[in-house]
Amino acid sequence: MSSLRALPAALALGLALAACQSAEKKAATDEVKVAKGVEAVCAAQADVDAAVFAVNALTPESTVADAEKAGEKLNTALSSLNKAEDQLTKAEVKEYRDQVEIFRQAVDEVSKNKNLTLAEAAEQLKGKAAPVVAAREQLAATTVCVAVEDDSMKDDSMKDDSMKDGADQDPS
């Protein structure tokens, strides 16, 4: 009878371990995709450099056919570079998501032990946070984020500035 009670707990533990391994396996696969993506971008950049060199090598004695060929080579290289960069960005985003999921699972696991102090919980999670931070930094290096100013906030700040301007003036 007691073995029947332990079965659901063992099954839940098995599923939790399988889910954890799955997220870690996905993260490893995505790391490989990122590495291959970096290689593809570097190769495409080299192709663009070669195409630019071919365009710069055109002389007044070059033919229109030579110029068209150099232009086509440049267009092809730029297209390859764009595709490689898109694939790399997708792989980096997936890797970041995987690392966040692994960390979330670690937080869920730590939060089950209600006897831990905050310091103990933080110590257990510290090592799990490093891959998330690294993946985020890698993603940030290739992603340019621009803060968009809300027009309503802009209007409010202009009102504040005009009030300050009036307050600074000497009434006499």
Side-chain angles (χ1 to χ4, degrees):
M1 188 75 150
S2 65
S3 64
L4 289 177
R5 289 183 204 164
L7 185 61
L11 184 59
L13 180 61
L15 288 174
L17 290 174
C20 183
Q21 289 171 350
S22 174
E24 289 175 3
K25 186 176 180 180
K26 282 174 51 178
T29 300
D30 287 338
E31 276 185 45
V32 170
K33 287 180 182 177
V34 168
K36 288 181 179 179
V38 169
E39 289 175 8
V41 167
C42 291
Q45 285 176 339
D47 290 346
V48 169
D49 290 344
V52 169
F53 180 78
V55 169
N56 284 337
L58 293 173
T59 65
E61 290 78 33
S62 298
T63 65
V64 171
D66 293 336
E68 286 177 341
K69 184 177 177 182
E72 288 172 9
K73 184 177 179 181
L74 182 58
N75 286 339
T76 301
L78 286 172
S79 177
S80 295
L81 178 61
N82 287 334
K83 288 177 186 173
E85 287 177 337
D86 288 346
Q87 291 301 318
L88 176 59
T89 301
K90 287 178 186 176
E92 288 173 336
V93 169
K94 285 181 181 179
E95 181 184 9
Y96 177 62
R97 286 181 186 161
D98 293 342
Q99 294 299 337
V100 169
E101 177 61 21
I102 291 168
F103 183 75
R104 188 193 61 76
Q105 289 174 356
V107 169
D108 288 347
E109 199 59 37
V110 168
S111 68
K112 289 178 185 175
N113 186 349
K114 303 298 181 193
N115 295 324
L116 286 177
T117 66
L118 292 177
E120 291 168 335
E123 187 63 33
Q124 286 185 18
L125 292 174
K126 189 185 303 182
K128 299 288 185 178
V132 176
V133 172
R136 175 66 183 108
E137 287 174 355
Q138 181 179 17
L139 183 60
T142 58
T143 307
V144 177
C145 297
V146 179
V148 177
E149 190 173 306
D150 186 10
D151 286 341
S152 65
M153 291 177 67
K154 189 175 182 181
D155 291 341
D156 290 343
S157 68
M158 291 172 110
K159 289 176 189 174
D160 290 344
D161 288 344
S162 66
M163 287 181 187
K164 289 178 188 173
D165 290 342
D168 290 344
Q169 294 177 354
D170 186 17
S172 53

